[in-house]
Amino acid sequence: TPADVPLGAELAHRAALSMENARLYREAQEAIRLRDEFMSIASHELKTPLTPLSLKLQALARELARHPDAIPRRVVESYLEVGTRQVKKLSELVGDLLDVSRITTGRVTVTLEDVDVDALVREVLARYEPQAARAGSTLQLDCRASGFVGRWDRLRLEQVITNLVDNAVKYGSGNPIHVCLEETPGGARLKVRDEGIGIDPEYLPRLFGRFERAVSERHYGGLGLGLYITRTLVEMMGGHVRVESEPGKGSTFTVELPRDSSAFVASAGEDARP
Ligand code: ADP
């Protein structure tokens, strides 16, 4: 009958709606699960540096009671070293959390200036030398762009380079890390390559997402926010970041930036940092 046609369409429409609702529901559930899991990882990660820190402070108080006038210098130095390292770890975690909250509420600002990116890369590598050595690794600068100057946010660019080098050291299994900075027709390209654990292809598409962590076991630590922040900052400056990786062989992260980010930053209306 003619009435069947609209009825059929109506049913199909309802079915489609309920399928759409089911999909939205599943997505919401997944977002909630990810957030809850993140909260538990975050609390654990924030607590981890506090344990050695408070143990060292208690031990220092005991030493002070035992030798009120002269604690051996070597003891003080070792306590300072542990304390400084743990406080640094804590402030990095809190910094990442703050950045993510700034990103989600649209409060990240970009301040452009002339940046000698070659000098900046060498600065970050020099700073990471001791950490790489502790991991049994070396940092090698394979190509350079001496004197190349672009218009970027220096601190944010430094944060991007630092995140990639930090990950390469962390997941690089102690093998040499290769860094390459090149001038491109449009700007600059930075590659950070490690020969470490690599990344499961299944996780690659989600690697730059918020709260994503490819390594489920807790051995490596970390909040899984660094790459999300990295991608956001690079894109705010009009660039992009990509990864190639093979499990057990290593990973290469590539950042491409336009020589001058002004057009991107101005159009996003973000250049508001006082
Ligand atoms: P995290 O603080 O956990 O290192 P990131 O956002 O920097 O957070 O990285 C997200 C995840 O991507 C990491 O947990 C790790 O599993 C994976 N990852 C990042 N860089 C590398 C790399 N160079 N080699 C292997 N895995 C990596």
Side-chain angles (χ1 to χ4, degrees):
T1 63
D4 286 346
V5 180
L7 187 61
E10 171 65 18
L11 282 176
H13 178 64
R14 277 198 212 161
L17 259 187
S18 84
M19 264 161 67
E20 174 66 4
N21 281 341
R23 191 183 60 81
L24 286 175
Y25 179 74
R26 274 197 309 275
E27 276 179 20
Q29 290 271 305
E30 173 62 12
I32 291 170
R33 189 192 62 78
L34 218 52
R35 194 202 53 193
D36 290 348
E37 196 179 307
F38 175 78
M39 283 301 287
S40 113
I41 291 176
S43 357
H44 179 83
E45 288 291 316
L46 288 170
K47 189 149 186 341
T48 305
L50 284 176
T51 309
L53 193 57
S54 70
L55 285 176
K56 279 287 168 185
L57 287 176
Q58 285 165 25
L60 187 58
R62 276 198 305 276
E63 287 287 343
L64 199 57
R66 214 179 314 158
H67 322 275
D69 298 319
I71 305 178
R73 188 185 172 85
R74 148 190 73 70
V75 175
V76 176
E77 277 170 357
S78 94
Y79 288 16
L80 272 180
E81 199 263 326
V82 174
T84 312
R85 188 148 35 91
Q86 303 305 334
V87 167
K88 182 165 168 283
K89 216 186 264 180
L90 268 177
S91 58
E92 283 167 3
L93 290 171
V94 173
D96 276 1
L97 286 170
L98 278 172
D99 272 340
V100 168
S101 105
R102 286 196 196 101
I103 290 170
T104 34
T105 54
R107 285 180 296 121
V108 182
T109 53
V110 168
T111 304
L112 300 182
E113 60 182 306
D114 287 342
V115 181
D116 178 341
V117 61
D118 188 76
L120 190 59
V121 167
R122 280 180 291 128
E123 232 174 80
V124 173
L125 293 185
R127 185 151 37 83
Y128 265 86
E129 208 62 71
Q131 200 162 318
R134 269 201 300 277
S137 166
T138 53
L139 301 171
Q140 304 186 0
L141 189 54
D142 292 345
C143 14
R144 297 186 45 181
S146 299
F148 184 94
V149 172
R151 266 193 91 65
W152 300 303
D153 183 314
R154 173 192 296 276
L155 285 179
R156 293 310 194 175
L157 185 54
E158 181 176 349
Q159 195 177 352
V160 165
I161 303 167
T162 302
N163 276 345
L164 296 181
V165 172
D166 190 80
N167 279 345
V169 171
K170 188 162 152 191
Y171 302 109
S173 310
N175 295 318
I177 290 154
H178 295 269
V179 177
C180 174
L181 177 70
E182 296 168 293
E183 195 171 335
T184 63
R189 177 188 300 132
L190 174 77
K191 278 182 193 261
V192 179
R193 176 164 67 86
D194 68 68
E195 294 160 3
I197 62 172
I199 300 156
D200 194 324
E202 189 196 326
Y203 287 104
L204 280 180
R206 297 189 314 191
L207 204 64
F208 296 95
R210 209 166 25 142
F211 307 150
E212 294 290 356
R213 287 179 47 89
V215 180
S216 49
E217 83 276 15
R218 307 292 310 134
H219 175 62
Y220 286 96
L223 292 177
L225 297 177
L227 287 179
Y228 169 72
I229 296 169
T230 296
R231 191 200 67 190
T232 308
L233 296 177
V234 167
E235 289 178 355
M236 280 178 77
M237 290 190 270
H240 55 262
V241 52
R242 62 175 190 274
V243 59
E244 293 145 278
S245 185
E246 209 179 314
K249 292 257 168 69
S251 313
T252 304
F253 286 82
T254 307
V255 173
E256 308 253 8
L257 278 177
R259 180 189 276 271
D260 184 349
S261 295
S262 307
F264 305 94
V265 172
S267 67
E270 294 283 5
D271 202 358
R273 195 155 72 191

